[in-house]
Amino acid sequence: MYFISTRGKKEKIKGSQTIINGICSDGGLYVPESFPDVSDKLDNLVNLSYKDLCFEILKLYLDDFTEEELKNCINKAYDDKFDCKEIAPTVKVKDKYFLELYHGPTCAFKDMALTLMPLLLETSLKKNNIKEDILILTATSGDTGKAALEGFKNLNQVKIIVFFPEDGVSSIQKLQMQSQEGNNTYVVSINGNFDDAQSAVKTIFNDEEFKEILKNNNYILSSANSINIGRLLPQIVYYFYSYFDLVKNKHIKLKDKINFTVPTGNFGNILAAYYAKLMGLPVNKLICTSNDNNVLYDFFNSGIYNKNRELILTSSPSMDILISSNLERLLFEISSRDSEKVNNLIKDLNNKGLYKLDTNMKKNLNSFRSEYANELEVKRNINKVFKEYNYLIDTHTCVAYTSYMKYLKKHKDCTPTVIVSTASPYKFSKDVLYSLGEEVNNFDKFEIIEKLSKFSHTEIPYPIKKLKTSLILHDENCEKDEIKSEIKKILKM
């Protein structure tokens, strides 16, 4: 298996090299040269454990890893860091299915890939005899930052710097990042929004002069965002695992189709579901859900991607994004892998802030549907789900739930549907408790967490509970145009 660029440069490299590079030399994103078809092997996969399924899927892409190397990474990633043996259980709540992706060390779905990706990177460095240190640069809208910091902490030959918007993450997300331990971890808040942070980091990846400075200081640049294929590939696994959960529990028969409803920001999570479908997983529709920042909703319904709007800060901050980086990989597929078209669309986005799909590309979006949920609907439905089902969901999951209910009403599609639950409600305890009708003013974040636990009769996850005694280790702040100088300062260059 080789990987190529969405933007057409004749780069063709193996999996371990893509994980090291992070982004293509032409600024494009790595994609598999082809998608392996497992549709006739579903019988052999259905009863596998999460670890074994992960191996069977990843070996198809990362075939330059030996079996021993890949299994070693997988076994170390999915161990007792997760608080349930299934790793990613799909639970039935009345007549709904929720894929719970928050049982890892930072209580968010990013753990599903970011417990594994650092180990894949470490192995890749050895395989390719890389002597330089790797600098991981990451912009986060909340969950990626902590999960990446936790995954890469204390790794030899790696330094990681995470930038997050000062007022664009929840108080718990902020504390998780600012209390991060590790002799190679750095966290900086910026005065701006996530798109500012992401744009600045992407600019650095395309800055040849700065990369040369890094190289002269013995650093190679890479990323932990889902623009890195090593982050994206492990996310394919849990869609297969969820499907097989429904089969094993006799909710569906093997080969029956299901839908997935995914709360979506940077488009990596739902893209992994699309990749699973391209591999032969029986998926009917992928329902892409947005909050008030509904640029993706507009895109799927009109064929026009338009980022020319104000970013709205919502109770689901991981989705407060106007430029969805991974969408470029989808553009590549729906244009029949026409990199010239992709380049033109990205150029339009950079120059005009929008682009428009042609008729054929729009037709090729048929796997997707899209809905969005506003803040009032999210508040109302967190309350409704808890009262009716005695099931507590976070704000992002509620965006997906609300959007699915709208989709159901509009399309009358009775296909069994899995709602992807991306974070523990305790990461957004203030908004969740407020949605349940409880008083939140004049209480600090830890009092709110305790109140949520007592009110809902649910246990506070250990990674959240331990934050109460955690020290602030990172309090650096910079302007959005100072990110480059901040990196130089951290690296003492």
Side-chain angles (χ1 to χ4, degrees):
M1 173 67 76
Y2 286 91
F3 293 82
I4 57 175
S5 171
T6 51
R7 299 194 190 173
K9 190 176 181 219
K10 300 302 174 199
E11 200 173 341
K12 186 174 165 180
I13 60 176
K14 298 296 284 184
S16 62
Q17 293 170 292
T18 70
I19 293 168
I20 294 167
N21 293 355
I23 198 166
C24 306
S25 57
D26 59 3
L29 304 184
Y30 289 110
V31 290
E33 194 172 33
S34 61
F35 286 95
D37 184 0
V38 298
S39 53
D40 61 347
K41 299 186 184 82
L42 297 178
D43 282 348
N44 303 329
L45 301 174
V46 67
N47 291 310
L48 295 182
S49 68
Y50 194 89
K51 289 181 188 178
D52 290 342
L53 181 62
C54 187
F55 172 73
E56 291 300 326
I57 289 172
L58 290 194
K59 76 177 185 183
L60 302 172
Y61 293 98
L62 303 177
D63 59 5
D64 57 332
F65 283 69
T66 66
E67 180 174 332
E68 185 187 357
E69 285 169 338
L70 203 47
K71 283 188 172 174
N72 184 44
C73 290
I74 291 166
N75 289 332
K76 280 184 184 173
Y78 303 115
D79 58 9
D80 58 9
K81 292 189 288 291
F82 287 79
D83 67 16
C84 68
K85 67 179 190 321
E86 301 92 341
I87 306 296
T90 299
V91 300
K92 188 176 185 188
V93 180
K94 215 61 175 275
D95 58 343
K96 308 284 186 301
Y97 302 100
F98 289 85
L99 168 57
E100 294 181 348
L101 297 178
Y102 52 77
H103 291 280
T106 75
C107 303
F109 83 98
K110 307 293 172 82
D111 292 326
M112 300 303 300
L114 282 167
T115 50
L116 178 56
M117 183 199 160
L119 300 165
L120 295 174
L121 175 62
E122 194 175 40
T123 306
S124 298
L125 294 174
K126 287 177 192 160
K127 291 178 74 61
N128 289 275
N129 201 26
I130 302 290
K131 301 301 181 194
E132 296 94 337
D133 286 350
I134 296 289
L135 172 63
I136 301 284
L137 273 193
T138 293
T140 183
S141 55
D143 289 332
T144 289
K146 173 61 179 178
L149 290 160
E150 190 65 27
F152 283 100
K153 73 176 180 185
N154 297 328
L155 273 193
N156 292 326
Q157 225 180 317
V158 174
K159 279 189 169 64
I160 175 167
I161 307 175
V162 168
F163 294 94
F164 73 91
E166 173 65 34
D167 298 318
V169 298
S170 79
S171 60
I172 293 297
Q173 286 175 316
K174 184 184 288 191
L175 184 55
Q176 281 187 308
M177 287 186 278
Q178 291 185 324
S179 62
Q180 177 64 48
E181 296 174 339
N183 57 24
N184 62 339
T185 61
Y186 305 89
V187 179
V188 183
S189 66
I190 71 154
N191 299 320
N193 59 43
F194 169 72
D195 287 325
D196 295 325
Q198 179 170 251
S199 296
V201 166
K202 283 178 87 172
T203 300
I204 287 168
F205 272 94
N206 294 317
D207 186 333
E208 295 305 321
E209 189 183 328
F210 190 66
K211 284 198 277 190
E212 193 62 33
I213 294 169
L214 287 171
K215 192 178 176 186
N216 293 337
N217 284 271
N218 203 41
Y219 288 105
I220 295 172
L221 201 54
S222 193
S223 172
N225 284 79
S226 51
I227 56 173
N228 191 315
I229 200 77
R231 206 351 247 288
L232 187 61
L233 295 177
Q235 293 181 261
I236 297 170
V237 179
Y238 50 74
Y239 289 104
F240 277 91
Y241 191 71
S242 179
Y243 179 87
F244 294 143
D245 251 2
L246 297 194
V247 174
K248 284 183 284 190
N249 288 302
K250 298 186 168 41
H251 300 308
I252 60 169
K253 291 177 184 157
L254 197 65
K255 304 286 175 78
D256 285 353
K257 289 192 172 186
I258 68 170
N259 298 329
F260 285 102
T261 302
V262 190
T264 312
N266 218 17
F267 207 74
N269 200 4
I270 196 165
L271 182 73
Y274 181 64
Y275 278 12
K277 181 173 182 174
L278 294 181
M279 290 176 69
L281 188 68
V283 173
N284 175 40
K285 297 296 178 191
L286 298 169
I287 303 157
C288 176
T289 73
S290 303
N291 60 19
D292 280 315
N293 296 292
N294 55 5
V295 62
L296 285 168
Y297 169 80
D298 290 343
F299 168 73
F300 281 108
N301 286 286
S302 70
I304 299 169
Y305 192 96
N306 187 348
K307 67 164 185 154
N308 298 316
R309 59 187 81 193
E310 284 295 312
L311 186 81
I312 301 164
L313 297 182
T314 72
S315 61
S316 45
S318 298
M319 300 164 70
D320 292 346
I321 293 172
L322 297 180
I323 305 169
S324 301
S325 290
N326 269 293
L327 200 61
E328 182 170 333
R329 286 183 167 117
L330 180 64
L331 297 178
F332 187 66
E333 299 305 331
I334 62 171
S335 66
S336 304
R337 307 196 132 203
D338 185 334
S339 52
E340 192 181 335
K341 275 187 183 176
V342 173
N343 275 302
N344 289 334
L345 292 172
I346 298 301
K347 206 178 289 176
D348 283 347
L349 184 66
N350 292 336
N351 295 336
K352 305 173 195 168
L354 63 88
Y355 59 74
K356 185 174 183 179
L357 299 186
D358 63 31
T359 308
N360 281 340
M361 287 180 79
K362 199 174 172 195
K363 209 180 288 178
N364 289 339
L365 286 177
N366 194 42
S367 295
F368 293 86
R369 292 291 179 269
S370 190
E371 292 293 342
Y372 80 98
N374 64 39
E375 287 290 87
L376 187 61
E377 291 168 327
V378 169
K379 178 179 182 290
R380 192 164 55 228
N381 281 326
I382 287 173
N383 193 314
K384 181 174 187 276
V385 169
F386 183 71
K387 280 185 174 163
E388 290 186 11
Y389 306 144
N390 195 31
Y391 187 66
L392 200 61
I393 57 175
D394 88 295
T395 47
H396 303 74
T397 306
C398 193
V399 168
Y401 169 83
T402 304
S403 298
Y404 171 60
M405 297 310 287
K406 288 182 176 180
Y407 168 83
L408 203 54
K409 191 175 179 183
K410 193 183 289 182
H411 296 281
K412 308 288 188 286
D413 176 5
C414 295
T415 306
T417 298
V418 173
I419 297 163
V420 178
S421 185
T422 52
S424 164
Y426 284 92
K427 291 198 82 165
F428 307 94
S429 47
K430 184 176 182 180
D431 288 303
V432 171
L433 188 62
Y434 175 66
S435 299
L436 297 175
E438 290 295 290
E439 179 60 47
V440 293
N441 294 326
N442 306 318
F443 294 99
D444 71 27
K445 53 182 161 284
F446 295 109
E447 289 171 325
I448 287 170
I449 287 168
E450 292 288 348
K451 277 169 68 77
L452 180 60
S453 177
K454 281 177 187 162
F455 183 84
S456 64
H457 304 290
T458 57
E459 203 174 320
I460 304 166
Y462 175 71
I464 304 290
K465 190 183 284 188
K466 73 174 185 179
L467 287 173
K468 193 169 185 179
T469 54
S470 298
L471 299 173
I472 300 286
L473 302 174
H474 309 272
D475 60 359
E476 291 78 8
N477 172 266
C478 73
E479 299 301 324
K480 61 187 179 185
D481 56 358
E482 295 174 345
I483 285 180
K484 198 186 288 185
S485 54
E486 195 67 29
I487 294 166
K488 285 182 177 177
K489 190 168 80 179
I490 289 167
L491 299 180
K492 300 181 171 60
M493 295 193 318

